[in-house]
Coordinates of all heavy atoms in Angstrom, one line a residue:
M1 N 0.9 -1.1 0.0 CA -0.1 0.0 0.0 C 0.8 1.2 0.1 O 1.8 1.2 0.8 CB -0.9 0.0 1.3 CG -1.9 -1.1 1.3 SD -3.3 -0.7 0.1 CE -4.6 -1.1 1.1
I2 N 0.4 2.2 -0.8 CA 1.2 3.5 -0.9 C 0.0 4.5 -0.4 O -1.0 4.5 -0.9 CB 1.6 3.8 -2.2 CG1 2.7 2.7 -2.6 CG2 2.3 5.1 -2.3 CD1 3.1 2.8 -4.1
G3 N 0.3 5.4 0.4 CA -0.4 6.5 0.8 C -1.7 6.0 1.4 O -1.8 5.1 2.2
R4 N -2.9 6.7 1.1 CA -4.1 6.4 1.8 C -4.9 5.2 1.0 O -5.7 5.7 0.1 CB -4.9 7.6 2.0 CG -4.3 8.5 2.9 CD -5.3 9.7 3.1 NE -4.9 10.4 4.2 CZ -5.4 11.6 4.5 NH1 -6.4 12.1 3.7 NH2 -5.1 12.2 5.6
G5 N -4.7 4.0 1.1 CA -5.6 3.0 0.4 C -5.2 2.8 -0.9 O -6.1 2.1 -1.6
I6 N -4.2 3.3 -1.5 CA -3.8 3.1 -2.9 C -3.0 1.9 -3.0 O -1.9 1.8 -2.5 CB -3.1 4.4 -3.4 CG1 -4.0 5.6 -3.2 CG2 -2.7 4.0 -4.8 CD1 -3.2 6.8 -3.8
S7 N -3.6 0.9 -3.7 CA -2.9 -0.5 -3.7 C -1.9 -0.4 -5.0 O -2.3 0.1 -6.0 CB -4.1 -1.5 -3.9 OG -3.4 -2.8 -4.2
T8 N -0.9 -1.1 -5.0 CA 0.0 -1.3 -6.1 C -0.1 -2.7 -6.7 O 0.7 -3.1 -7.5 CB 1.6 -1.2 -5.5 OG1 1.7 -2.2 -4.6 CG2 1.8 0.2 -5.1
M9 N -1.2 -3.4 -6.4 CA -1.5 -4.6 -6.8 C -1.9 -4.6 -8.4 O -2.7 -3.8 -8.7 CB -2.6 -5.4 -6.1 CG -2.8 -6.8 -6.6 SD -3.9 -7.8 -5.4 CE -2.6 -8.2 -4.2
A10 N -1.1 -5.5 -9.2 CA -1.5 -5.4 -10.6 C -2.4 -6.7 -10.9 O -2.4 -7.6 -10.3 CB -0.1 -5.7 -11.3
S11 N -3.4 -6.3 -11.7 CA -4.4 -7.2 -12.1 C -4.0 -7.8 -13.4 O -3.8 -7.1 -14.4 CB -5.8 -6.5 -12.2 OG -6.8 -7.5 -12.5
L12 N -3.9 -9.2 -13.6 CA -3.4 -9.8 -14.8 C -4.5 -10.6 -15.5 O -5.3 -11.2 -15.0 CB -2.3 -10.8 -14.4 CG -1.0 -10.3 -13.6 CD1 -0.1 -11.4 -13.2 CD2 -0.4 -9.2 -14.4
V13 N -4.2 -10.6 -16.8 CA -4.9 -11.5 -17.8 C -3.9 -12.4 -18.2 O -2.9 -11.9 -18.9 CB -5.7 -10.6 -18.9 CG1 -6.3 -11.6 -20.0 CG2 -6.6 -9.7 -18.4
V14 N -4.1 -13.7 -18.1 CA -3.1 -14.5 -18.5 C -3.5 -15.5 -19.7 O -4.5 -16.3 -19.6 CB -2.7 -15.7 -17.4 CG1 -1.6 -16.6 -17.8 CG2 -2.3 -14.8 -16.1
L15 N -3.0 -15.2 -20.8 CA -3.4 -15.9 -22.0 C -2.7 -17.2 -22.3 O -1.4 -17.1 -22.0 CB -3.2 -14.9 -23.3 CG -3.9 -13.7 -23.4 CD1 -3.5 -12.9 -24.5 CD2 -5.4 -13.8 -23.3
G16 N -3.3 -18.3 -22.5 CA -2.6 -19.5 -22.6 C -2.1 -20.0 -21.1 O -1.1 -20.6 -21.0
S17 N -3.0 -19.7 -20.2 CA -2.7 -20.1 -18.7 C -2.3 -21.6 -18.6 O -1.7 -21.9 -17.6 CB -3.9 -19.6 -17.9 OG -4.9 -20.5 -18.0
T18 N -2.8 -22.4 -19.4 CA -2.5 -23.8 -19.0 C -1.3 -24.5 -19.7 O -0.8 -25.6 -19.5 CB -3.7 -24.8 -19.5 OG1 -3.9 -24.6 -20.9 CG2 -5.0 -24.4 -18.7
G19 N -0.7 -23.5 -20.6 CA 0.5 -23.9 -21.3 C 1.7 -23.7 -20.5 O 1.6 -23.2 -19.3
S20 N 2.9 -24.0 -21.0 CA 4.2 -23.8 -20.2 C 4.4 -22.4 -19.8 O 4.7 -22.1 -18.6 CB 5.3 -24.3 -21.2 OG 6.6 -24.0 -20.5
I21 N 4.4 -21.4 -20.6 CA 4.6 -20.1 -20.2 C 3.6 -19.5 -19.3 O 3.8 -18.8 -18.3 CB 4.7 -19.1 -21.6 CG1 6.0 -19.6 -22.2 CG2 4.8 -17.7 -21.1 CD1 6.2 -18.9 -23.6
G22 N 2.2 -19.9 -19.5 CA 1.2 -19.6 -18.7 C 1.3 -20.1 -17.2 O 1.1 -19.3 -16.2
C23 N 1.7 -21.3 -17.1 CA 1.9 -21.9 -15.9 C 3.2 -21.3 -15.2 O 3.0 -21.1 -13.9 CB 2.1 -23.4 -16.0 SG 0.6 -24.4 -16.4
Q24 N 4.1 -20.9 -15.9 CA 5.4 -20.2 -15.3 C 4.9 -18.7 -14.9 O 5.5 -18.4 -13.8 CB 6.4 -20.1 -16.4 CG 7.2 -21.4 -16.7 CD 8.2 -21.3 -17.7 OE1 8.7 -20.3 -17.9 NE2 8.4 -22.3 -18.4
T25 N 4.1 -18.1 -15.5 CA 3.4 -16.8 -15.1 C 2.8 -17.0 -13.9 O 3.0 -16.2 -12.9 CB 2.6 -16.3 -16.2 OG1 3.4 -16.1 -17.4 CG2 2.0 -14.9 -15.8
L26 N 1.9 -18.0 -13.7 CA 1.2 -18.2 -12.5 C 2.1 -18.7 -11.3 O 1.8 -18.4 -10.1 CB 0.2 -19.2 -12.7 CG -1.0 -18.8 -13.7 CD1 -2.0 -19.9 -14.0 CD2 -1.7 -17.6 -13.1
D27 N 3.2 -19.4 -11.6 CA 4.2 -19.6 -10.6 C 4.7 -18.2 -10.0 O 4.9 -18.2 -8.8 CB 5.3 -20.3 -11.2 CG 5.1 -21.8 -11.3 OD1 4.1 -22.4 -10.8 OD2 5.8 -22.5 -12.2
L28 N 4.9 -17.3 -10.9 CA 5.5 -16.0 -10.3 C 4.4 -15.2 -9.5 O 4.6 -14.7 -8.5 CB 5.9 -15.1 -11.5 CG 7.2 -15.6 -12.1 CD1 7.4 -14.7 -13.4 CD2 8.3 -15.5 -11.2
V29 N 3.1 -15.5 -9.9 CA 2.1 -14.8 -9.2 C 2.0 -15.5 -7.7 O 1.8 -14.8 -6.8 CB 0.7 -15.1 -9.9 CG1 -0.6 -14.6 -9.1 CG2 0.6 -14.3 -11.3
R30 N 2.1 -16.8 -7.7 CA 2.1 -17.4 -6.4 C 3.3 -16.7 -5.4 O 3.0 -16.7 -4.3 CB 2.5 -18.9 -6.5 CG 1.3 -19.7 -6.8 CD 1.7 -21.2 -6.8 NE 0.6 -21.9 -7.6 CZ 0.8 -22.2 -9.0 NH1 2.0 -21.9 -9.6 NH2 -0.1 -22.8 -9.6
L31 N 4.5 -16.5 -6.1 CA 5.6 -16.1 -5.3 C 5.3 -14.7 -5.0 O 5.9 -14.1 -3.9 CB 6.8 -16.1 -6.2 CG 7.3 -17.5 -6.4 CD1 8.5 -17.6 -7.3 CD2 7.8 -18.3 -5.1
H32 N 4.5 -13.8 -5.7 CA 4.3 -12.4 -5.5 C 2.9 -12.2 -5.3 O 2.4 -11.2 -5.9 CB 4.9 -11.6 -6.5 CG 6.4 -12.0 -6.7 ND1 7.3 -11.4 -5.9 CD2 7.0 -12.6 -7.7 CE1 8.5 -11.7 -6.2 NE2 8.4 -12.6 -7.3
A33 N 2.1 -12.9 -4.5 CA 0.7 -12.8 -4.2 C 0.3 -11.4 -3.7 O -0.8 -11.0 -3.9 CB 0.2 -13.9 -3.4
D34 N 1.1 -10.7 -3.2 CA 0.8 -9.4 -2.6 C 1.0 -8.3 -3.7 O 0.5 -7.2 -3.5 CB 1.8 -9.1 -1.4 CG 3.3 -9.1 -1.8 OD1 3.6 -9.9 -2.8 OD2 4.2 -8.4 -1.3
T35 N 1.6 -8.8 -4.8 CA 1.8 -7.7 -6.0 C 0.8 -8.0 -7.1 O 0.4 -7.0 -7.8 CB 3.2 -7.8 -6.4 OG1 4.1 -7.6 -5.3 CG2 3.4 -6.7 -7.5
Y36 N 0.5 -9.2 -7.3 CA -0.4 -9.6 -8.5 C -1.7 -10.3 -8.1 O -1.7 -11.2 -7.2 CB 0.5 -10.6 -9.4 CG 1.8 -9.9 -9.9 CD1 2.9 -10.3 -9.5 CD2 1.7 -8.8 -10.9 CE1 4.1 -9.7 -10.0 CE2 2.8 -8.4 -11.3 CZ 4.2 -8.7 -10.8 OH 5.3 -8.1 -11.3
A37 N -2.7 -10.0 -8.9 CA -3.9 -10.8 -8.8 C -4.4 -11.2 -10.2 O -4.1 -10.5 -11.1 CB -5.0 -9.8 -8.1
V38 N -5.0 -12.4 -10.2 CA -5.3 -12.9 -11.6 C -6.8 -12.4 -11.8 O -7.7 -12.8 -11.0 CB -5.2 -14.4 -11.6 CG1 -5.7 -15.0 -12.9 CG2 -3.8 -14.9 -11.5
H39 N -7.0 -11.6 -12.8 CA -8.3 -11.2 -13.3 C -8.9 -12.1 -14.3 O -10.2 -12.5 -14.1 CB -8.2 -9.8 -13.9 CG -9.5 -9.2 -14.3 ND1 -10.0 -9.4 -15.5 CD2 -10.3 -8.5 -13.7 CE1 -11.3 -8.8 -15.5 NE2 -11.5 -8.2 -14.5
T40 N -8.2 -12.6 -15.2 CA -8.9 -13.5 -16.4 C -7.8 -14.6 -16.7 O -6.5 -14.2 -16.8 CB -9.1 -12.7 -17.5 OG1 -10.0 -11.5 -17.1 CG2 -9.8 -13.4 -18.5
L41 N -8.3 -15.8 -16.9 CA -7.5 -16.9 -17.4 C -8.1 -17.3 -18.7 O -9.3 -17.5 -18.9 CB -7.5 -18.1 -16.4 CG -6.9 -17.9 -15.1 CD1 -7.2 -19.1 -14.2 CD2 -5.5 -17.6 -15.2
V42 N -7.2 -17.5 -19.8 CA -7.7 -17.9 -21.1 C -6.9 -19.2 -21.5 O -5.6 -19.1 -21.4 CB -7.5 -16.7 -22.1 CG1 -8.0 -17.3 -23.4 CG2 -8.4 -15.6 -21.6
A43 N -7.6 -20.1 -22.1 CA -6.7 -21.3 -22.6 C -7.6 -21.9 -23.7 O -8.7 -21.5 -24.0 CB -6.4 -22.3 -21.5
R44 N -6.9 -22.9 -24.3 CA -7.7 -23.6 -25.5 C -8.6 -24.6 -25.0 O -9.8 -24.5 -25.3 CB -6.6 -24.1 -26.4 CG -7.3 -24.8 -27.6 CD -6.2 -25.3 -28.6 NE -6.9 -25.9 -29.8 CZ -6.9 -25.3 -30.9 NH1 -6.4 -24.2 -31.0 NH2 -7.6 -25.7 -31.9
S45 N -8.3 -25.6 -24.3 CA -9.1 -26.7 -23.9 C -8.8 -27.6 -22.8 O -9.5 -28.6 -22.5 CB -9.2 -27.7 -25.2 OG -8.0 -28.3 -25.6
S46 N -7.8 -27.2 -22.0 CA -7.4 -28.1 -20.9 C -8.3 -27.8 -19.6 O -8.0 -27.0 -18.7 CB -5.9 -27.8 -20.5 OG -5.1 -28.1 -21.6
V47 N -9.4 -28.6 -19.6 CA -10.4 -28.4 -18.5 C -9.7 -28.6 -17.1 O -10.0 -27.7 -16.3 CB -11.6 -29.3 -18.7 CG1 -12.5 -29.1 -17.6 CG2 -12.2 -29.0 -20.1
D48 N -9.1 -29.7 -16.9 CA -8.6 -30.0 -15.6 C -7.6 -29.0 -15.1 O -7.7 -28.6 -14.0 CB -7.9 -31.5 -15.6 CG -8.9 -32.5 -15.9 OD1 -10.1 -32.4 -15.6 OD2 -8.6 -33.6 -16.2
I49 N -6.6 -28.6 -15.9 CA -5.7 -27.6 -15.5 C -6.4 -26.2 -15.2 O -6.1 -25.6 -14.2 CB -4.5 -27.5 -16.5 CG1 -3.8 -28.8 -16.7 CG2 -3.6 -26.4 -16.1 CD1 -2.7 -28.7 -17.8
M50 N -7.2 -25.8 -16.1 CA -8.0 -24.6 -15.9 C -8.9 -24.6 -14.7 O -8.9 -23.5 -13.9 CB -8.8 -24.2 -17.2 CG -9.6 -23.0 -17.0 SD -8.7 -21.4 -16.9 CE -8.4 -21.1 -18.7
F51 N -9.4 -25.7 -14.4 CA -10.3 -25.8 -13.1 C -9.5 -25.7 -11.9 O -9.8 -24.9 -11.0 CB -11.0 -27.1 -13.3 CG -11.9 -27.3 -12.0 CD1 -13.0 -26.6 -11.7 CD2 -11.6 -28.4 -10.9 CE1 -13.8 -26.7 -10.7 CE2 -12.4 -28.5 -10.0 CZ -13.5 -27.8 -9.7
A52 N -8.3 -26.4 -11.9 CA -7.4 -26.3 -10.7 C -6.9 -24.7 -10.7 O -6.8 -24.2 -9.5 CB -6.2 -27.2 -10.9
Q53 N -6.7 -24.1 -11.7 CA -6.3 -22.7 -11.7 C -7.3 -21.7 -11.2 O -7.1 -20.8 -10.5 CB -5.8 -22.2 -13.1 CG -4.5 -22.8 -13.5 CD -4.1 -22.5 -15.0 OE1 -4.9 -22.0 -15.7 NE2 -2.8 -22.8 -15.3
C54 N -8.5 -22.1 -11.6 CA -9.7 -21.3 -11.0 C -9.9 -21.6 -9.6 O -10.1 -20.5 -8.9 CB -11.0 -21.7 -11.8 SG -11.0 -21.1 -13.6
Q55 N -9.7 -22.7 -9.1 CA -9.8 -22.9 -7.7 C -8.7 -22.1 -6.9 O -9.0 -21.6 -5.8 CB -9.7 -24.3 -7.4 CG -10.8 -25.2 -7.8 CD -10.7 -26.7 -7.5 OE1 -9.7 -27.3 -7.8 NE2 -11.8 -27.2 -6.7
E56 N -7.6 -22.1 -7.5 CA -6.5 -21.4 -6.8 C -6.4 -19.9 -6.8 O -6.4 -19.4 -5.8 CB -5.1 -22.0 -7.3 CG -3.9 -21.4 -6.5 CD -2.6 -21.9 -7.0 OE1 -2.5 -22.8 -7.8 OE2 -1.6 -21.3 -6.4
F57 N -6.6 -19.4 -8.0 CA -6.4 -17.9 -8.3 C -7.8 -17.2 -8.3 O -7.8 -15.9 -8.3 CB -5.7 -17.7 -9.6 CG -4.2 -18.1 -9.5 CD1 -4.0 -19.5 -10.1 CD2 -3.4 -17.6 -8.8 CE1 -2.7 -19.9 -10.1 CE2 -2.1 -18.1 -8.7 CZ -1.8 -19.3 -9.3
K58 N -9.0 -17.9 -8.4 CA -10.3 -17.3 -8.2 C -10.3 -16.0 -9.2 O -10.7 -15.0 -8.8 CB -10.6 -16.9 -6.9 CG -10.6 -18.1 -5.9 CD -11.2 -18.0 -4.7 CE -11.4 -19.3 -3.8 NZ -10.7 -20.4 -4.1
P59 N -10.1 -16.3 -10.5 CA -10.2 -15.1 -11.5 C -11.7 -14.7 -11.6 O -12.7 -15.5 -11.4 CB -9.7 -15.7 -12.8 CG -10.1 -17.2 -12.7 CD -9.9 -17.6 -11.3
K60 N -12.0 -13.5 -12.2 CA -13.2 -13.1 -12.3 C -13.8 -13.6 -13.6 O -15.0 -14.0 -13.6 CB -13.2 -11.5 -12.6 CG -14.6 -10.9 -12.7 CD -14.5 -9.4 -12.6 CE -16.0 -8.9 -12.9 NZ -16.3 -7.7 -12.1
F61 N -12.8 -14.0 -14.5 CA -13.3 -14.6 -15.8 C -12.3 -15.7 -16.1 O -11.2 -15.7 -15.8 CB -13.3 -13.7 -17.0 CG -14.2 -12.5 -16.8 CD1 -13.7 -11.2 -16.4 CD2 -15.6 -12.7 -17.1 CE1 -14.7 -10.1 -16.2 CE2 -16.3 -11.6 -16.9 CZ -16.0 -10.3 -16.5
A62 N -12.9 -16.8 -16.7 CA -12.1 -17.9 -17.2 C -12.7 -18.3 -18.5 O -13.9 -18.4 -18.7 CB -12.2 -19.1 -16.3
C63 N -11.9 -18.5 -19.5 CA -12.3 -18.7 -20.9 C -11.5 -19.9 -21.5 O -10.3 -19.8 -21.5 CB -12.2 -17.4 -21.8 SG -12.6 -17.7 -23.5
L64 N -12.3 -20.8 -22.0 CA -11.7 -21.9 -22.8 C -12.3 -21.8 -24.2 O -13.4 -21.6 -24.5 CB -12.1 -23.4 -22.2 CG -11.4 -23.7 -20.9 CD1 -11.8 -25.1 -20.5 CD2 -9.9 -23.8 -21.2
V65 N -11.4 -21.8 -25.3 CA -11.8 -21.5 -26.6 C -12.6 -22.6 -27.1 O -13.6 -22.5 -27.8 CB -10.5 -21.3 -27.5 CG1 -10.9 -21.1 -28.9 CG2 -9.8 -20.1 -27.1
D66 N -12.3 -23.8 -26.9 CA -13.0 -25.0 -27.3 C -14.4 -25.1 -26.6 O -14.4 -25.0 -25.3 CB -12.3 -26.4 -26.9 CG -13.0 -27.5 -27.5 OD1 -13.0 -28.0 -28.5 OD2 -13.9 -28.0 -26.6
P67 N -15.6 -25.0 -27.3 CA -16.9 -24.9 -26.7 C -17.2 -26.1 -25.9 O -17.9 -25.9 -24.9 CB -17.8 -24.8 -27.9 CG -17.0 -24.8 -29.2 CD -15.5 -25.0 -28.8
V68 N -16.8 -27.3 -26.2 CA -17.1 -28.5 -25.4 C -16.4 -28.4 -24.2 O -16.9 -28.7 -23.1 CB -16.8 -29.8 -26.2 CG1 -17.0 -31.1 -25.2 CG2 -17.7 -29.8 -27.4
A69 N -15.1 -28.1 -24.1 CA -14.3 -27.9 -22.9 C -14.9 -26.8 -22.1 O -14.9 -26.8 -20.8 CB -12.8 -27.6 -23.4
A70 N -15.3 -25.7 -22.7 CA -15.8 -24.6 -21.9 C -17.1 -25.0 -21.2 O -17.2 -24.6 -20.0 CB -16.2 -23.3 -22.9
Q71 N -17.9 -25.8 -21.8 CA -19.1 -26.3 -21.2 C -18.8 -27.2 -20.0 O -19.4 -27.1 -19.0 CB -20.0 -27.0 -22.1 CG -21.4 -27.3 -21.5 CD -22.1 -26.1 -20.9 OE1 -22.4 -25.1 -21.6 NE2 -22.6 -26.3 -19.7
S72 N -17.8 -28.0 -20.2 CA -17.2 -28.9 -19.1 C -16.8 -28.0 -17.8 O -17.1 -28.3 -16.7 CB -16.2 -29.8 -19.6 OG -16.7 -30.7 -20.6
L73 N -15.9 -27.1 -18.2 CA -15.5 -26.2 -17.1 C -16.7 -25.5 -16.5 O -16.6 -25.3 -15.2 CB -14.5 -25.0 -17.8 CG -13.9 -24.0 -16.7 CD1 -13.1 -24.8 -15.6 CD2 -12.9 -23.1 -17.4
K74 N -17.5 -24.9 -17.1 CA -18.6 -24.2 -16.6 C -19.5 -25.2 -15.7 O -19.8 -24.8 -14.5 CB -19.6 -23.8 -17.6 CG -20.7 -23.0 -17.1 CD -21.7 -22.4 -18.2 CE -23.0 -21.8 -17.7 NZ -23.8 -21.3 -18.7
S75 N -19.6 -26.3 -16.0 CA -20.3 -27.4 -15.2 C -19.5 -27.6 -13.9 O -20.2 -27.6 -12.8 CB -20.6 -28.6 -16.0 OG -21.3 -28.5 -17.1
L76 N -18.2 -27.9 -14.0 CA -17.4 -28.1 -12.8 C -17.4 -26.8 -12.1 O -17.5 -27.0 -10.7 CB -16.1 -28.3 -13.3 CG -15.7 -29.7 -13.8 CD1 -14.3 -29.7 -14.5 CD2 -15.8 -30.8 -12.8
L77 N -17.3 -25.6 -12.3 CA -17.2 -24.5 -11.6 C -18.7 -24.2 -11.0 O -18.7 -24.0 -9.7 CB -17.0 -23.2 -12.4 CG -15.6 -23.2 -12.9 CD1 -15.4 -22.1 -13.9 CD2 -14.6 -23.1 -11.8
E78 N -19.7 -24.5 -11.7 CA -21.1 -24.5 -11.0 C -21.3 -25.5 -9.9 O -21.9 -25.2 -8.9 CB -22.2 -24.7 -12.2 CG -22.4 -23.5 -13.0 CD -23.2 -23.7 -14.2 OE1 -23.6 -24.9 -14.5 OE2 -23.7 -22.7 -14.8
Q79 N -20.7 -26.7 -10.1 CA -20.8 -27.7 -9.1 C -20.1 -27.3 -7.8 O -20.5 -27.6 -6.7 CB -20.2 -29.1 -9.6 CG -21.1 -29.7 -10.6 CD -20.5 -30.9 -11.2 OE1 -19.4 -31.5 -10.8 NE2 -21.1 -31.5 -12.4
T80 N -18.9 -26.5 -8.0 CA -18.2 -26.1 -6.7 C -18.5 -24.8 -6.4 O -17.9 -24.2 -5.6 CB -16.7 -26.3 -7.1 OG1 -16.3 -25.5 -8.2 CG2 -16.4 -27.7 -7.4
K81 N -19.5 -24.1 -7.0 CA -19.9 -22.7 -6.7 C -18.7 -21.8 -6.7 O -18.6 -20.8 -5.9 CB -20.6 -22.7 -5.3 CG -21.8 -23.6 -5.3 CD -22.5 -23.3 -4.0 CE -23.7 -24.4 -3.7 NZ -24.6 -24.8 -4.7
L82 N -17.8 -21.9 -7.7 CA -16.7 -21.0 -7.9 C -17.0 -19.8 -8.9 O -16.3 -19.0 -9.1 CB -15.4 -21.7 -8.3 CG -14.8 -22.6 -7.3 CD1 -13.6 -23.2 -7.9 CD2 -14.4 -21.7 -6.1
N83 N -18.0 -20.1 -9.8 CA -18.2 -19.1 -10.9 C -18.9 -17.8 -10.3 O -19.5 -17.7 -9.3 CB -19.2 -19.7 -11.9 CG -20.6 -20.2 -11.4 OD1 -20.8 -20.3 -10.2 ND2 -21.5 -20.4 -12.3

């Protein structure tokens, strides 16, 4: 915090969050949780990885490009009330 309630936390959109670079980016977010917050996660079709990322980082938005995978993720999130 700087001054009166002004936060220095950066809000991130992670494209390709389930891939190698996306996972490495999220590793850095874990290490610097006081500096970064995940706003949006985007990936192609990896439902299980994206679901785990949603549980951990609680993004405001999560998007899978593949429509079948997106529906599966939506169902999982609804079941766990994370959406």
Side-chain angles (χ1 to χ4, degrees):
M1 295 285 220
I2 298 174
R4 292 183 165 173
I6 299 172
S7 176
T8 60
M9 185 167 283
S11 184
L12 301 177
V13 174
V14 183
L15 304 176
S17 70
T18 63
S20 176
I21 294 172
C23 287
Q24 290 174 27
T25 300
L26 293 173
D27 287 343
L28 289 173
V29 171
R30 275 185 206 95
L31 291 173
H32 303 283
D34 57 328
T35 305
Y36 300 106
V38 176
H39 181 271
T40 304
L41 295 172
V42 180
R44 184 179 181 99
S45 61
S46 299
V47 175
D48 294 338
I49 297 171
M50 177 67 85
F51 179 67
Q53 291 174 347
C54 287
Q55 287 182 306
E56 180 176 358
F57 296 102
K58 304 201 179 359
K60 183 169 182 146
F61 298 102
C63 176
L64 289 175
V65 175
D66 179 87
V68 174
Q71 186 58 48
S72 295
L73 178 64
K74 181 179 178 183
S75 295
L76 285 170
L77 292 171
E78 286 173 347
Q79 289 172 12
T80 59
K81 298 183 191 324
L82 287 177
N83 61 344

